[in-house]
Amino acid sequence: MKAAVYHGIKNIRIEEIETPACGKDEIRVKVNYCAICGTDVRIYFHGHKKVIPPAVIGHEITGVIDEIGSGVSYSEPLKKGDKVALVTSIGCGKCKMCGKGLYNLCPDTKAIGYFYPGGYAEYVTVPAAAVKQNAVIKLPDNISLKEGALIEALSCAINGQGYLNIGKGDTVVIYGGGPIGLMHAVLAQASGAEKVIMADPAYERLEKFAKQFGGLVLLDPKKVKIKDEVLRLTEGYGADVVITACPAKQAQVEGLELLGSRGRISMFGGLPKDDSFINIDSNIIHYKELSVFGSFASNRKDFMKAAELISQKKIEAGKFISKLLPLEKINEGIEMVKAGDVLKCVIEISAA
Ligand SMILES: [Zn+2]
Ligand SMILES: [Zn+2]
């Protein structure tokens, strides 16, 4: 089969490799689409400890079931030809977190597109451990395979907002105007947030892509003080919720400072691993009764919710896809995502 093989930093080559077998407890999927994630960009430019070259990366996958192993018993009926998306995180299946279905938090989590071969190839085999954890998500009929490639990214935002209890009247501030930041914005709107404010120093890009979603207040931190603006827009109360959808310390520190009483912050975007300490006045957490949350990847229930929101058109997935490229142009796609020239770039392995 044809695959984009990662051989190390800045080195992905299109090659003919052996089509993966489908073991008796496995499911093989013929891949149609795989969207480029920020982590693919990081793997491409900086490597990743769980991606050992040569490897096939890509985890925002949709395709159709091509083969079901003879030993597979699944939580719902599956058949050849079903349109599916795949849950990324696979747990060990034995630990306390796995016992709760929180495979993303398993200390030994292994992911499709990292440890296991991913979706930048014509076929991907869903490993037995993933089949056991119901990692195959059947797409609702009215979701196209192309739109379905957005489910993984959206599921991560859904997991992040799961803690934040966003509701009517809330003011939500989002740092970072990339695809994930915008997904957070439309999710917050769907949850009833009254004001959604977005800030990104790459303001031109934010403006260009946020325009089509409507109802968002956009701020340019190069021109205004975000804290002052948020206080002004909330009559001095501060924000109810802050989401940092960017790897920036300043967003975390400032985000805490502009929360009002009983505010919630999600440190959604991680910081670079060698530079992840911040300096905060913890008294603001104490006196204002703030809640600080983290978020990492997602699980089946978040995928199901993402599929439901897209299916009900509460989230217009198509709006996020600003570029479609063939597998041969994956390097170009990764460069475009890094440069911020595109919102979501989807690789089309086989048209559907
Ligand atoms: Zn992703
Ligand atoms: Zn585990």
Side-chain angles (χ1 to χ4, degrees):
M1 68 169 180
K2 192 166 64 177
V5 182
Y6 171 80
H7 287 281
I9 290 170
K10 290 196 206 170
N11 188 355
I12 290 183
R13 301 198 292 265
I14 305 299
E15 291 171 7
E16 202 54 46
I17 63 171
E18 209 165 314
T19 303
C22 179
K24 84 171 193 356
D25 298 315
E26 297 178 328
I27 293 173
R28 188 169 60 195
V29 172
K30 185 175 190 311
V31 182
N32 290 99
Y33 296 95
C34 188
I36 298 176
C37 181
T39 58
D40 294 332
V41 177
R42 273 200 293 285
I43 294 166
Y44 184 78
F45 286 99
H46 304 289
H48 189 287
K49 65 178 190 296
K50 288 191 178 168
V51 180
I52 314 289
V56 176
I57 61 169
H59 60 271
E60 304 190 353
I61 304 166
T62 54
V64 293
I65 292 181
D66 170 66
E67 194 177 332
I68 301 174
S70 58
V72 170
S73 67
Y74 203 71
S75 60
E76 60 182 327
L78 293 177
K79 61 177 187 313
K80 190 176 161 137
D82 280 347
K83 296 192 294 183
V84 296
L86 303 178
V87 179
T88 314
S89 299
I90 304 167
C92 70
K94 300 179 200 100
C95 73
K96 185 173 167 183
M97 289 300 121
C98 285
K100 297 179 180 189
L102 299 172
Y103 304 120
N104 62 327
L105 301 179
C106 171
D108 193 25
T109 187
K110 295 182 168 72
I112 293 178
Y114 297 79
F115 182 85
Y116 292 108
Y120 297 132
E122 287 178 295
Y123 292 88
V124 62
T125 293
V126 186
V131 173
K132 233 181 171 169
Q133 290 166 22
N134 299 315
V136 177
I137 306 285
K138 239 162 99 166
L139 297 185
D141 282 342
N142 67 340
I143 296 186
S144 69
L145 283 157
K146 202 195 296 174
E147 291 172 321
L150 273 276
I151 287 177
E152 195 273 346
L154 185 59
S155 75
C156 295
I158 289 170
N159 181 35
Q161 290 198 16
Y163 304 97
L164 296 173
N165 208 9
I166 296 172
K168 281 216 168 12
D170 278 347
T171 295
V172 178
V173 176
I174 297 164
Y175 284 91
I180 284 282
L182 280 163
M183 282 181 184
H184 273 299
V186 291
L187 272 176
Q189 286 176 327
S191 298
E194 186 182 307
K195 268 194 203 88
V196 178
I197 301 166
M198 298 190 74
D200 195 320
Y203 188 73
E204 290 69 31
R205 177 183 77 152
L206 172 65
E207 219 180 13
K208 177 174 154 193
F209 292 119
K211 236 184 359 217
Q212 54 178 331
F213 293 97
L216 303 168
V217 179
L218 308 180
L219 299 179
D220 181 352
K222 300 193 296 302
K223 295 209 176 111
V224 295
K225 281 212 163 68
I226 305 302
K227 189 180 167 187
D228 294 351
E229 277 303 295
V230 171
L231 287 175
R232 189 180 65 79
L233 289 162
T234 56
E235 289 155 10
Y237 285 108
D240 300 291
V241 171
V242 167
I243 299 167
T244 61
C246 56
K249 287 182 174 186
Q250 198 205 337
Q252 296 184 342
V253 174
E254 188 182 82
L256 270 167
E257 288 171 355
L258 55 75
L259 278 174
S261 292
R262 288 274 171 121
R264 294 86 71 195
I265 183 169
S266 171
M267 297 190 176
F268 182 88
L271 297 178
K273 61 176 182 296
D274 53 354
D275 189 19
S276 58
F277 285 84
I278 58 169
N279 225 336
I280 55 162
D281 173 5
S282 73
N283 265 349
I284 52 180
I285 301 176
H286 168 72
Y287 283 115
K288 289 187 175 181
E289 299 191 358
L290 305 184
S291 302
V292 180
F293 297 102
S295 176
F296 171 69
S298 60
N299 288 298
R300 179 180 169 92
K301 70 166 181 16
D302 310 305
F303 272 71
M304 298 299 283
K305 183 77 192 165
E308 183 189 309
L309 289 173
I310 294 174
S311 158
Q312 295 168 343
K313 314 275 180 230
K314 286 186 181 153
I315 302 286
E316 293 174 90
K319 280 191 177 175
F320 288 91
I321 302 172
S322 62
K323 193 82 193 170
L324 193 66
L325 288 175
L327 188 59
E328 286 74 12
K329 296 209 166 155
I330 181 147
N331 289 282
E332 200 178 303
I334 289 172
E335 298 275 359
M336 284 172 139
V337 173
K338 181 173 166 75
D341 296 340
V342 290
L343 197 48
K344 210 62 184 158
C345 177
V346 176
I347 298 296
E348 184 174 72
I349 288 96
S350 165

